[in-house]
Amino acid sequence: HQDKYTNVQDFAWYIDILILLGHRRGISSDNASYLQSQLTDVTLRVLPVRTYAVRRCMEIVMEEDYRTTQGSIHSSSTDNLKGLLPSQEQQQSPPHDNGYGKHIMVELLPSVAWIVGEYSDLVRDATELEFDDDDDDDHAPLQLPRGIYHSLIHAMLAPTTIMNQLCTTTQSIYVQAAMKIFAAATADSQCQDTELETCVD
């Protein structure tokens, strides 16, 4: 429907709300699936907000890499825990926060990875987005010690990341996204040869 988002005046705000809810605990599986579909749909349909959506999804991807050893994953619904959680020993560790005190729904991660991969040509622009001082607290700092592309690929594929604890369907989306990110890196004239080489090591 063309008038689906008629009442939404600020799509960056809407993306922020979806991601904020995605970091909340206790949301039902049905609502989590709705958040996932909305995040994908808005990014797909609303061109002016697409770079911003990529940036927010990059933040989540890098959160996952940052919090690798922080604890266990928490699904939004206990019905979805089977096959998604680490071992019992890992579950006994502290709550699986990302270093900023945030939880993330596993249901949201397929959309997050798809958006970063599908629009990987916007990764550099998304990285260089500037925010008002009032908005700084709403955005996790991007930790990119390996370079933009290598850091994202590492966060999605390295065996020490959250990826090992996800279902195979989500893992496959991560792998496909990583391949698209590498393709974007090869097309980016600002990406150094050394970074490209490390991406395939």
Side-chain angles (χ1 to χ4, degrees):
H1 302 289
Q2 293 182 349
D3 59 349
K4 185 174 183 179
Y5 299 113
T6 300
N7 295 324
V8 180
Q9 301 299 318
D10 186 344
F11 283 96
W13 169 85
Y14 190 54
I15 292 288
D16 286 341
I17 292 299
L18 293 174
I19 291 177
L20 178 65
L21 292 172
H23 281 99
R24 292 291 182 262
R25 303 177 191 274
I27 294 179
S28 70
S29 179
D30 287 343
N31 287 331
S33 297
Y34 180 74
L35 291 177
Q36 177 193 23
S37 65
Q38 281 290 283
L39 182 61
T40 302
D41 193 53
V42 171
T43 305
L44 182 66
R45 290 172 181 266
V46 187
L47 181 60
V49 81
R50 190 172 292 168
T51 301
Y52 182 78
V54 171
R55 168 59 185 257
R56 293 311 310 270
C57 291
M58 286 171 61
E59 291 171 7
I60 294 176
V61 169
M62 297 311 299
E63 284 174 6
E64 300 306 324
D65 194 40
Y66 181 87
R67 71 186 188 173
T68 299
T69 59
Q70 299 301 310
S72 60
I73 302 176
H74 292 277
S75 174
S76 61
S77 169
T78 54
D79 294 335
N80 292 326
L81 293 178
K82 185 176 296 185
L84 293 176
L85 291 177
S87 66
Q88 183 175 0
E89 179 179 356
Q90 289 174 303
Q91 292 181 42
Q92 293 173 352
S93 24
H96 190 47
D97 290 336
N98 62 8
Y100 306 102
K102 292 181 180 178
H103 153 82
I104 187 66
M105 296 176 187
V106 292
E107 294 90 346
L108 203 63
L109 296 180
S111 285
V112 166
W114 183 85
I115 288 169
V116 177
E118 187 67 16
Y119 303 113
S120 52
D121 58 315
L122 299 176
V123 160
R124 185 170 295 279
D125 290 341
T127 303
E128 296 172 354
L129 276 180
E130 296 183 358
F131 303 103
D132 295 335
D133 292 339
D134 294 340
D135 295 334
D136 285 346
D137 292 339
D138 297 330
H139 301 276
L142 285 175
Q143 304 292 335
L144 303 169
R146 303 176 179 86
I148 299 173
Y149 300 101
H150 186 203
S151 294
L152 285 170
I153 292 172
H154 181 272
M156 289 184 168
L157 298 183
T160 54
T161 66
I162 194 176
M163 185 177 174
N164 287 340
Q165 303 170 30
L166 295 176
C167 64
T168 54
T169 302
T170 302
Q171 288 185 25
S172 66
I173 295 173
Y174 269 56
V175 171
Q176 292 172 22
M179 294 174 65
K180 291 178 179 179
I181 292 169
F182 179 70
T186 62
D188 186 349
S189 61
Q190 297 184 57
C191 184
Q192 301 295 320
D193 290 343
T194 52
E195 183 176 354
L196 290 175
E197 292 171 359
T198 54
C199 285
V200 297
D201 282 348

